Short mmCIF file of all heavy atoms in Angstrom, two decimals:
data_model
loop_
_atom_site.label_atom_id
_atom_site.label_comp_id
_atom_site.label_asym_id
_atom_site.label_seq_id
_atom_site.Cartn_x
_atom_site.Cartn_y
_atom_site.Cartn_z
N SER A 499 -18.88 -2.67 -13.15
CA SER A 499 -19.24 -4.01 -13.64
C SER A 499 -20.71 -4.43 -13.45
O SER A 499 -21.27 -5.14 -14.27
CB SER A 499 -18.26 -5.06 -13.04
OG SER A 499 -18.33 -5.01 -11.62
N PRO A 500 -21.28 -4.03 -12.29
CA PRO A 500 -22.74 -4.39 -12.21
C PRO A 500 -23.63 -3.83 -13.29
O PRO A 500 -24.66 -4.36 -13.59
CB PRO A 500 -23.10 -3.86 -10.79
CG PRO A 500 -21.85 -3.79 -10.03
CD PRO A 500 -20.82 -3.36 -11.13
N VAL A 501 -23.21 -2.70 -13.85
CA VAL A 501 -23.99 -2.06 -14.89
C VAL A 501 -23.76 -2.72 -16.22
O VAL A 501 -24.68 -2.82 -17.04
CB VAL A 501 -23.59 -0.59 -15.02
CG1 VAL A 501 -24.43 0.16 -16.03
CG2 VAL A 501 -23.74 0.10 -13.65
N GLY A 502 -22.57 -3.31 -16.48
CA GLY A 502 -22.33 -3.97 -17.74
C GLY A 502 -20.95 -3.54 -18.33
O GLY A 502 -20.27 -2.67 -17.83
N SER A 503 -20.61 -4.23 -19.49
CA SER A 503 -19.36 -3.97 -20.12
C SER A 503 -19.18 -2.54 -20.66
O SER A 503 -18.15 -1.97 -20.61
CB SER A 503 -19.15 -4.93 -21.25
OG SER A 503 -20.14 -4.86 -22.24
N TRP A 504 -20.37 -2.00 -21.12
CA TRP A 504 -20.30 -0.62 -21.58
C TRP A 504 -19.90 0.36 -20.47
O TRP A 504 -19.17 1.34 -20.71
CB TRP A 504 -21.64 -0.21 -22.18
CG TRP A 504 -21.79 -0.55 -23.66
CD1 TRP A 504 -21.24 0.08 -24.71
CD2 TRP A 504 -22.51 -1.69 -24.22
NE1 TRP A 504 -21.57 -0.51 -25.85
CE2 TRP A 504 -22.37 -1.61 -25.62
CE3 TRP A 504 -23.31 -2.69 -23.68
CZ2 TRP A 504 -22.94 -2.55 -26.46
CZ3 TRP A 504 -23.84 -3.60 -24.51
CH2 TRP A 504 -23.68 -3.50 -25.86
N ALA A 505 -20.35 0.10 -19.26
CA ALA A 505 -20.01 0.96 -18.15
C ALA A 505 -18.51 0.90 -17.86
O ALA A 505 -17.84 1.87 -17.55
CB ALA A 505 -20.84 0.56 -16.93
N VAL A 506 -17.88 -0.32 -17.98
CA VAL A 506 -16.53 -0.49 -17.74
C VAL A 506 -15.71 0.32 -18.82
O VAL A 506 -14.84 1.08 -18.50
CB VAL A 506 -16.06 -1.98 -17.84
CG1 VAL A 506 -14.57 -2.13 -17.72
CG2 VAL A 506 -16.76 -2.73 -16.66
N LEU A 507 -16.15 0.25 -20.06
CA LEU A 507 -15.51 0.98 -21.13
C LEU A 507 -15.65 2.44 -20.87
O LEU A 507 -14.72 3.25 -21.10
CB LEU A 507 -16.11 0.60 -22.47
CG LEU A 507 -15.83 -0.83 -22.94
CD1 LEU A 507 -16.50 -1.08 -24.27
CD2 LEU A 507 -14.31 -1.08 -23.13
N ALA A 508 -16.81 2.87 -20.39
CA ALA A 508 -17.05 4.32 -20.16
C ALA A 508 -16.15 4.83 -19.05
O ALA A 508 -15.64 5.96 -19.14
CB ALA A 508 -18.55 4.54 -19.78
N VAL A 509 -15.93 4.01 -18.00
CA VAL A 509 -15.10 4.44 -16.90
C VAL A 509 -13.61 4.55 -17.40
O VAL A 509 -12.90 5.57 -17.12
CB VAL A 509 -15.16 3.47 -15.73
CG1 VAL A 509 -14.11 3.76 -14.71
CG2 VAL A 509 -16.50 3.58 -15.08
N ILE A 510 -13.18 3.58 -18.18
CA ILE A 510 -11.82 3.62 -18.77
C ILE A 510 -11.66 4.88 -19.63
O ILE A 510 -10.67 5.61 -19.57
CB ILE A 510 -11.51 2.36 -19.55
CG1 ILE A 510 -11.47 1.13 -18.63
CG2 ILE A 510 -10.21 2.46 -20.31
CD1 ILE A 510 -10.37 1.16 -17.63
N TYR A 511 -12.69 5.10 -20.48
CA TYR A 511 -12.64 6.23 -21.39
C TYR A 511 -12.59 7.51 -20.62
O TYR A 511 -11.83 8.47 -20.90
CB TYR A 511 -13.86 6.23 -22.29
CG TYR A 511 -13.74 7.12 -23.50
CD1 TYR A 511 -13.45 6.64 -24.78
CD2 TYR A 511 -13.98 8.51 -23.35
CE1 TYR A 511 -13.32 7.50 -25.83
CE2 TYR A 511 -13.87 9.39 -24.50
CZ TYR A 511 -13.51 8.83 -25.69
OH TYR A 511 -13.43 9.64 -26.74
N ALA A 512 -13.47 7.69 -19.57
CA ALA A 512 -13.57 8.93 -18.78
C ALA A 512 -12.22 9.18 -18.08
O ALA A 512 -11.74 10.35 -18.04
CB ALA A 512 -14.75 8.87 -17.79
N LEU A 513 -11.67 8.15 -17.44
CA LEU A 513 -10.40 8.36 -16.74
C LEU A 513 -9.30 8.80 -17.67
O LEU A 513 -8.54 9.70 -17.36
CB LEU A 513 -10.01 7.05 -15.98
CG LEU A 513 -10.84 6.69 -14.75
CD1 LEU A 513 -10.42 5.32 -14.25
CD2 LEU A 513 -10.59 7.70 -13.61
N THR A 514 -9.24 8.16 -18.83
CA THR A 514 -8.22 8.51 -19.80
C THR A 514 -8.40 9.93 -20.30
O THR A 514 -7.42 10.70 -20.42
CB THR A 514 -8.26 7.55 -20.99
OG1 THR A 514 -8.20 6.20 -20.55
CG2 THR A 514 -7.12 7.83 -21.95
N THR A 515 -9.64 10.32 -20.51
CA THR A 515 -9.91 11.68 -21.00
C THR A 515 -9.47 12.73 -19.92
O THR A 515 -8.89 13.78 -20.26
CB THR A 515 -11.41 11.81 -21.28
OG1 THR A 515 -11.78 10.96 -22.31
CG2 THR A 515 -11.72 13.25 -21.73
N ILE A 516 -9.79 12.41 -18.69
CA ILE A 516 -9.35 13.36 -17.61
C ILE A 516 -7.86 13.49 -17.54
O ILE A 516 -7.30 14.63 -17.43
CB ILE A 516 -9.90 12.85 -16.23
CG1 ILE A 516 -11.43 12.97 -16.21
CG2 ILE A 516 -9.30 13.65 -15.10
CD1 ILE A 516 -12.07 12.25 -15.00
N PHE A 517 -7.13 12.38 -17.67
CA PHE A 517 -5.69 12.41 -17.65
C PHE A 517 -5.15 13.22 -18.91
O PHE A 517 -4.21 14.01 -18.83
CB PHE A 517 -5.06 11.09 -17.67
CG PHE A 517 -4.91 10.41 -16.32
CD1 PHE A 517 -5.45 9.17 -16.04
CD2 PHE A 517 -4.31 11.09 -15.31
CE1 PHE A 517 -5.34 8.60 -14.82
CE2 PHE A 517 -4.10 10.54 -14.03
CZ PHE A 517 -4.65 9.26 -13.77
N THR A 518 -5.84 12.95 -20.05
CA THR A 518 -5.36 13.67 -21.25
C THR A 518 -5.62 15.16 -21.19
O THR A 518 -4.76 15.93 -21.59
CB THR A 518 -6.14 13.07 -22.46
OG1 THR A 518 -5.99 11.71 -22.58
CG2 THR A 518 -5.70 13.73 -23.75
N ALA A 519 -6.71 15.57 -20.54
CA ALA A 519 -7.05 16.99 -20.48
C ALA A 519 -6.14 17.69 -19.49
O ALA A 519 -5.93 18.90 -19.58
CB ALA A 519 -8.51 17.10 -20.00
N THR A 520 -5.54 16.95 -18.53
CA THR A 520 -4.70 17.61 -17.54
C THR A 520 -3.25 17.44 -17.73
O THR A 520 -2.44 18.27 -17.18
CB THR A 520 -5.13 17.09 -16.13
OG1 THR A 520 -5.05 15.65 -16.06
CG2 THR A 520 -6.50 17.55 -15.70
N ILE A 521 -2.82 16.40 -18.45
CA ILE A 521 -1.37 16.25 -18.73
C ILE A 521 -1.16 16.33 -20.22
O ILE A 521 -1.03 17.36 -20.79
CB ILE A 521 -0.81 15.00 -18.06
CG1 ILE A 521 -1.69 13.73 -18.30
CG2 ILE A 521 -0.62 15.15 -16.57
CD1 ILE A 521 -1.10 12.48 -17.76
N ASN A 522 -1.08 15.20 -20.88
CA ASN A 522 -1.04 15.14 -22.36
C ASN A 522 -1.39 13.80 -22.84
O ASN A 522 -1.54 12.87 -22.04
CB ASN A 522 0.36 15.59 -22.91
CG ASN A 522 1.45 14.58 -22.65
OD1 ASN A 522 1.35 13.50 -23.14
ND2 ASN A 522 2.42 15.00 -21.88
N ASN A 523 -1.61 13.67 -24.10
CA ASN A 523 -2.19 12.43 -24.66
C ASN A 523 -1.36 11.24 -24.46
O ASN A 523 -1.80 10.12 -24.07
CB ASN A 523 -2.47 12.66 -26.16
CG ASN A 523 -1.28 13.17 -26.97
OD1 ASN A 523 -0.51 14.04 -26.50
ND2 ASN A 523 -1.03 12.55 -28.15
N ASN A 524 -0.03 11.32 -24.73
CA ASN A 524 0.85 10.17 -24.67
C ASN A 524 1.07 9.70 -23.22
O ASN A 524 1.01 8.51 -22.93
CB ASN A 524 2.18 10.42 -25.35
CG ASN A 524 2.10 10.56 -26.83
OD1 ASN A 524 1.43 9.76 -27.45
ND2 ASN A 524 2.66 11.68 -27.38
N ALA A 525 1.23 10.65 -22.30
CA ALA A 525 1.37 10.28 -20.93
C ALA A 525 0.11 9.63 -20.40
O ALA A 525 0.15 8.63 -19.69
CB ALA A 525 1.69 11.56 -20.11
#
Side-chain angles (χ1 to χ4, degrees):
S499 56
V501 182
S503 59
W504 272 285
V506 175
L507 292 176
V509 169
I510 296 295
Y511 194 102
L513 287 174
T514 307
T515 300
I516 291 170
F517 276 127
T518 304
T520 52
I521 45 176
N522 70 63
N523 53 316
N524 291 313

